[in-house]
Amino acid sequence: MGRDVPALVFTREDRRRYRDKMHTCLDVLAQMLRESGFESERPQVGMEIELNLVDDDGRPAMRNTEVLQAIADPAWSTELGRFNLEIDIPPRELTTGGPGAWERTIRDALNHAQERAAAVGAHLIMIGILPTLGDRDVGEAALSGDPRYRLLNEQIFAARGEDLRIRVDGVERLAMYADAITPEAACTSTQFHLQVAPREFPDYWNAAQAVAGVQTALAANSPFLFGRELWRETRIPLFEQATDTRPEEIKAQGVRPRVWFGERWITSVFDLFEENVRYFPALLPICDEEDPQEVLDRGGVPELGELTLHNGTIYRWNRPVYAVTASGPHLRIENRVLPAGPTVADTLANGAFYYGLTRALVDEDRPVWTRMSFAVAEENLHTAARDGIDARLYWPGVGEVPVTELVLRRLLPLAHQGLELAGLDAAWREPLLGVIEQRCVTGRNGALWQAETVHHLEKNAGLDRQEALRRMTLTYMDYMHLNAPAHTWPVE
């Protein structure tokens, strides 16, 4: 959905033509998977980070247009809400320059953007859900100015035919209706990209699905929404509900949601794109001029514009991506389960754990996805989102165990092994995976720190919930800039 789209009214003819073009794209993709060379000789990794904007008091700042103009860097773009921005970190080979170089690149970019944002009265914060965000901040007026967001909002509500119902039962309870998709903007994530060859794609995607719950439990950083303490990673249920095109009667018929874990392990990347076309009507039926079959027949590389636009409106937690660059077409997995923050150090540790663990799982003689049902992998994700680092998750061979025990005994050694296979020696691995180890040893992460700090401020300082959330947010930003991992943050 990063593509610019015009403001349009779609006709039945638009939708029929778009469906035909998507089927043509599918046929061409199938032919390319059989015959064409995809770029995979020097596989790269990449990252996108979504951030919130706040004012000097830690409250939402609806100023992304001004901040984007001040930053003046094409790596930065708007997101759904006026209080959001996103940075696209340049892709790189995993071992290029070592992890220190990647950290410097990210921190330099964020520090530069923070300096420019401050000049127009805003500040950047990496956090899964902005704690000071109120339901009054997510009306239709909070949509970013780009026409594609209003168009998406219109199409989702046209499909639903009624307001969104958002309900989360956690430590406390939230039940509300929304007349715009802007509550989705409360969800800010870190997205890890992993380029893979077509023949390896199903194994890597299956591995990413299998570990999604573990990732979420360790990195949970979204315990508050609209003043209420809910799940440790409230982003997961919020995102699932805030973009749901299905009224209750359609849900009852078994129609699949657009925010989707999936329903089966796959044997080809084609399975995922084919499911997209088979199960989901188009939200934005905008056709390109390109004839993908003609482009392929004359030796070119088709963009498959309709297929990729449609894919961008289906929010899999591990999304397949087809893209064309100067070096040719490639495939990658976009891992979308993790929240933003708390620090760059935490983010890189999360990335190292994900890249290392999936690499090791793919190389196992008996892959984990052959020993665990898909439904259990999905259940792990929701259990992890609810309970965070205190979650008990299922893993083949050990049953249901505390996630910290599972990681320390089973998965962290595998992550080391996978990074070693990728070319990272111990001097590179230890600082990164050491953050994950200490999170498990201490049982602490960003979500736990946020909740404990708010409780401390309410009890010991006598603050009401809104002021406690505001004070906690300002303290969070101070620690974020220090870049010490969240498990080391004191509760004050």
Side-chain angles (χ1 to χ4, degrees):
M1 263 307 295
R3 183 186 311 186
D4 289 334
V5 297
L8 293 172
V9 175
F10 298 117
T11 66
R12 287 177 292 181
E13 173 63 20
D14 291 330
R15 294 186 181 279
R16 183 201 62 77
R17 183 166 176 251
Y18 191 79
R19 177 178 282 118
D20 290 345
K21 283 290 296 284
M22 282 201 295
H23 281 283
T24 300
C25 287
L26 264 185
D27 292 341
V28 169
L29 177 62
Q31 184 178 344
M32 293 177 69
L33 291 171
R34 291 192 304 268
E35 302 172 358
S36 298
F38 282 78
E39 173 61 33
S40 59
E41 290 300 314
R42 296 174 299 280
Q44 296 187 316
V45 297
M47 186 190 309
E48 297 170 85
I49 303 173
E50 298 169 349
L51 301 101
N52 287 284
L53 295 171
V54 296
D55 60 19
D56 290 342
D57 292 327
R59 296 190 174 94
M62 306 290 178
R63 309 197 63 183
N64 64 357
T65 300
E66 301 99 303
V67 172
L68 202 60
Q69 290 171 347
I71 295 173
D73 183 337
W76 289 85
S77 59
T78 58
E79 262 295 323
L80 179 65
R82 292 185 181 274
F83 52 92
N84 300 143
L85 283 180
E86 180 179 78
I87 181 172
D88 189 355
I89 305 298
R92 62 193 292 123
E93 292 181 48
L94 187 60
T95 57
T96 299
W102 208 13
E103 179 172 352
R104 283 192 297 275
T105 297
I106 298 168
R107 293 193 70 189
D108 287 350
L110 294 178
N111 288 338
H112 169 76
Q114 168 58 33
E115 180 182 330
R116 294 297 182 88
V120 295
H123 307 277
L124 302 175
I125 177 171
M126 293 193 304
I127 196 166
I129 293 176
L130 181 61
T132 55
L133 194 70
D135 53 10
R136 65 190 179 281
D137 298 314
V138 293
E140 189 172 349
L143 282 171
S144 285
D146 193 303
R148 73 180 185 265
Y149 298 120
R150 296 196 177 277
L151 187 58
L152 184 65
N153 183 66
E154 291 168 6
Q155 294 302 305
I156 286 178
F157 277 90
R160 280 187 63 85
E162 63 187 45
D163 286 351
L164 288 165
R165 177 161 172 77
I166 296 172
R167 176 172 175 168
V168 185
D169 292 318
V171 178
E172 297 168 353
R173 180 184 177 194
L174 173 70
M176 62 176 287
Y177 286 93
D179 60 3
I181 61 170
T182 339
E184 179 198 332
C187 306
T188 43
S189 66
T190 298
Q191 298 152 25
F192 293 115
H193 291 253
L194 176 62
Q195 182 183 337
V196 293
R199 68 182 181 279
E200 298 175 328
F201 191 99
D203 286 352
Y204 273 97
W205 187 85
N206 289 341
Q209 292 285 96
V211 304
V214 176
Q215 286 182 275
T216 301
L218 294 181
N221 196 35
S222 313
F224 293 100
L225 174 64
F226 303 150
R228 293 173 176 84
E229 183 180 356
L230 301 170
W231 289 16
R232 288 305 188 231
E233 190 48 42
T234 306
R235 271 180 53 259
I236 300 295
L238 176 60
F239 195 64
E240 289 175 341
Q241 296 175 54
T243 52
D244 200 340
T245 58
R246 307 166 303 160
E248 292 300 322
E249 297 82 0
I250 297 299
K251 290 182 189 178
Q253 294 175 35
V255 172
R256 292 152 179 89
R258 294 191 91 94
V259 177
W260 200 33
F261 189 78
E263 60 192 15
R264 62 189 174 103
W265 307 116
I266 65 169
T267 58
S268 168
V269 64
F270 184 82
D271 296 348
L272 301 177
F273 286 105
E274 191 273 336
E275 283 180 347
N276 288 354
V277 174
R278 178 153 46 105
Y279 293 146
F280 300 99
L283 285 179
L284 302 172
I286 303 168
C287 289
D288 289 349
E289 294 301 316
E290 176 189 79
D291 180 338
Q293 189 65 64
E294 187 273 331
V295 171
L296 186 63
D297 289 345
R298 62 177 165 78
V301 180
E303 297 284 345
L304 306 182
E306 292 79 15
L307 197 67
T308 58
L309 177 59
H310 187 54
N311 185 53
T313 66
I314 297 157
Y315 306 96
R316 295 178 185 269
W317 293 113
N318 284 291
R319 177 189 274 165
V321 177
Y322 167 90
V324 181
T325 64
S327 57
H330 73 256
L331 295 168
R332 63 183 189 266
I333 297 168
E334 181 185 29
N335 178 250
R336 301 165 51 83
V337 298
L338 294 188
T343 65
V344 173
D346 286 298
T347 300
L348 288 175
N350 294 336
F353 183 69
Y354 166 69
Y355 292 129
L357 182 55
T358 52
R359 171 65 185 270
L361 292 176
V362 163
D363 284 353
E364 286 190 317
D365 292 334
R366 291 187 62 211
V368 63
W369 56 92
T370 67
R371 298 179 286 130
M372 178 166 65
S373 78
F374 196 87
V376 167
E378 182 175 15
E379 184 180 347
N380 274 352
L381 173 63
H382 288 97
T383 300
R386 186 186 66 237
D387 298 337
I389 205 162
D390 294 323
R392 294 177 61 89
L393 304 182
Y394 175 84
W395 195 259
V398 296
E400 185 179 292
V401 294
V403 66
T404 52
E405 178 183 329
L406 173 63
V407 171
L408 289 171
R409 294 191 177 187
R410 290 288 186 104
L411 303 187
L412 199 56
L414 286 174
H416 273 284
Q417 177 185 322
L419 290 180
E420 185 175 16
L421 290 169
L424 274 72
D425 63 24
W428 290 6
R429 299 192 313 267
E430 290 292 348
L432 292 167
L433 294 182
V435 172
I436 302 297
E437 179 183 25
Q438 287 305 306
R439 258 190 238 160
C440 293
V441 169
T442 61
R444 302 189 61 77
N445 61 9
L448 188 66
W449 180 87
Q450 288 188 54
E452 288 186 351
T453 299
V454 167
H455 297 161
H456 176 81
L457 290 169
E458 288 176 327
K459 181 179 179 180
N460 293 355
L463 303 182
D464 63 24
R465 173 61 59 85
Q466 295 305 320
E467 181 61 13
L469 288 169
R470 191 187 72 82
R471 296 269 193 96
M472 180 271 286
T473 299
L474 293 175
T475 304
Y476 179 105
M477 291 172 64
D478 290 340
Y479 289 138
M480 179 189 75
H481 287 298
L482 292 176
N483 201 36
H487 69 266
T488 67
W489 294 5
V491 174
E492 299 175 347

